[in-house]
Amino acid sequence: MGIAETYSRGRALAIERPFALVLGVIAAVLLGDLLLGLATGQTQFADIGTLVWDGLMRGLVIGLAGIGLSMTYSILNFANFAHGDYITAGAFSGWATTYLIAGLSRADIGALLLVGAGGSVYGGSLGIGMLSTPLAVVAGIVVAGGFAIALSLGVDRFIFRPVRNEDGITLLITSIGVAFALRYMMQFVFGSDVRGTTAQPPSVGLYFVDGTVFIDAHDITLLVIASGLMIGVHLLLQRTKLGKAMRAMADNKDLALITGIPTERVVRSTWIIGGGLTGIAGYMFVLWKGTLGFNDGWLLLLLIFAAVILGGIGSIYGAITGGLVIGLTASMSVLWIPSAFARAAAFVVMIVILLVKPSGLFSGRSTA
């Protein structure tokens, strides 16, 4: 009787949720291949530990930047394609500050402000790092967040606000225009070359079963700052009047207006919080990977959209969780496919999960 019941349930699952069944089969095959690799020695536990740590770092950046995009969508109801270029703008402003402080009296000020455009100065030669130049790094983080806030407010005031009452397509197309304008303005000012920004940070090796997993100072900095900011956003949304007003406006803008919630203040606060997190995410992304280019934010934006959609559009916690899933997928996928296809693997996982849960992992939870 038990066997018949199990068969019956399995058949019902296959009919009602075929994609869930396919997902389970694929996961079982991948897990089996991984276990076989560990058993034969082709894959080491330390390799897996390194990839998991790398995915966690990548996921924290994506999740942190995704909070701003998710807030913009839930409260202003449009997908801001300029978000990726806010990331890059914050990164360039922050790193210009870091270069200036770290290299003052050691290199030409113009070259420092242009973040070593054209190979005029290198972050490695300036010894830039969290432990070697902490003041320069902290100042860069603050400026990155502040500049992204100013940019977000400025673009909203002069570009988005005049068309805010139009349909979502108008805002979407407008944001694409803003994205291209910002991107190529940064290319014109800072150049198109990808430059190294930091010296090799000190690291510690942690023994893990059959090898060593290395964690450096910039990894820890990213972990502490990203986690702290995420906790701060949670407390803001759940414990403050502004957070409650933001959640109310995300749920029903018309009702929020009727009940006297200052919607313009909420919109402004959304840009301030989202912009600040976005700028800091851009700076931390560059600190972690050690290079900076004019299209970094654009390349990261695609993964951020994937994370926000996967987590459930409009959900802050969904954006964070989705970021971690996308980051871990992009890193772990190299166990089975060439690294050149790692980004594609993240999108495939997003599509597969959405086929099983179309509204996302945190569907129905707007803003919080």
Side-chain angles (χ1 to χ4, degrees), residues 266-288:
V266 172
V267 170
R268 187 165 58 251
S269 299
T270 299
W271 286 119
I272 290 173
I273 297 169
L277 295 176
T278 300
I280 293 173
Y283 185 95
M284 295 307 302
F285 182 51
V286 174
L287 179 69
W288 172 66

Side-chain angles (χ1 to χ4, degrees), residues 85 88-89 92 114 147 151 155 159 177-192 294-295:
D85 296 283
T88 312
F92 269 114
L114 292 176
F147 184 83
L151 178 62
V155 171
I159 299 176
V178 171
F180 278 109
L182 289 175
R183 191 175 316 143
Y184 291 109
M185 188 182 301
M186 286 184 283
Q187 182 185 17
F188 177 76
V189 173
F190 294 101
S192 59
F294 81 99
N295 63 347

Side-chain angles (χ1 to χ4, degrees), residues 308-324:
V308 170
I309 294 170
L310 175 61
I313 297 178
S315 170
I316 299 302
Y317 305 136
I320 295 171
T321 305
L324 293 174

Side-chain angles (χ1 to χ4, degrees), residues 51-336:
L51 291 173
V52 169
W53 181 256
D54 178 83
L56 175 62
M57 296 296 101
R58 194 183 306 273
L60 286 172
V61 172
I62 295 171
L64 188 62
I67 293 174
L69 186 64
S70 186
M71 291 176 69
T72 303
Y73 185 87
S74 63
I75 293 175
L76 301 178
N77 200 31
F78 86 100
N80 182 15
F81 268 80
H83 192 78
D85 296 283
Y86 292 174
I87 293 173
T88 312
F92 269 114
S93 63
W95 280 98
T97 302
T98 297
Y99 266 55
L100 182 63
I101 295 175
L104 197 62
S105 76
R106 297 169 59 189
D108 179 71
I109 292 180
L112 294 173
L113 289 175
L114 292 176
V115 199
S120 52
V121 62
Y122 296 97
S125 64
L126 298 176
I128 294 175
M130 185 64 226
L131 298 182
S132 54
T133 57
L135 177 61
V137 171
V138 171
I141 293 172
V142 173
V143 170
F147 184 83
I149 290 172
L151 178 62
S152 299
L153 290 173
V155 171
D156 178 61
R157 174 64 182 83
F158 295 106
I159 299 176
F160 290 147
R161 186 186 294 181
V163 296
R164 192 181 295 163
N165 294 325
E166 302 295 331
D167 56 38
I169 296 298
T170 300
L171 279 167
L172 175 65
I173 294 174
T174 302
S175 72
I176 293 174
V178 171
F180 278 109
L182 289 175
R183 191 175 316 143
Y184 291 109
M185 188 182 301
M186 286 184 283
Q187 182 185 17
F188 177 76
V189 173
F190 294 101
S192 59
D193 57 309
V194 176
R195 71 288 311 265
T197 54
T198 62
Q200 182 67 34
S203 62
V204 295
L206 302 178
Y207 182 75
F208 187 69
V209 184
D210 54 6
T212 304
V213 176
F214 290 95
I215 300 174
D216 65 44
H218 295 167
D219 293 343
I220 301 301
T221 304
L222 172 57
L223 178 64
V224 170
I225 290 180
S227 300
L229 289 173
M230 289 174 180
I231 293 172
V233 170
H234 164 73
L235 294 175
L236 171 73
L237 291 173
Q238 300 296 333
R239 304 289 179 85
T240 68
K241 291 183 179 180
L242 174 61
K244 293 177 181 177
M246 295 176 79
R247 287 189 286 132
M249 188 169 171
D251 290 337
N252 192 319
K253 182 178 179 180
D254 293 332
L255 183 59
L257 282 167
I258 294 173
T259 55
I261 291 176
T263 55
E264 276 303 318
R265 182 188 168 208
V266 172
V267 170
R268 187 165 58 251
S269 299
T270 299
W271 286 119
I272 290 173
I273 297 169
L277 295 176
T278 300
I280 293 173
Y283 185 95
M284 295 307 302
F285 182 51
V286 174
L287 179 69
W288 172 66
K289 69 189 182 78
T291 60
L292 173 61
F294 81 99
N295 63 347
D296 278 356
W298 165 247
L299 296 175
L300 195 62
L301 179 66
L302 301 178
L303 294 178
I304 294 171
F305 266 116
V308 170
I309 294 170
L310 175 61
I313 297 178
S315 170
I316 299 302
Y317 305 136
I320 295 171
T321 305
L324 293 174
V325 171
I326 293 296
L328 287 168
T329 300
S331 293
M332 294 290 291
S333 63
V334 300
L335 289 169
W336 298 281

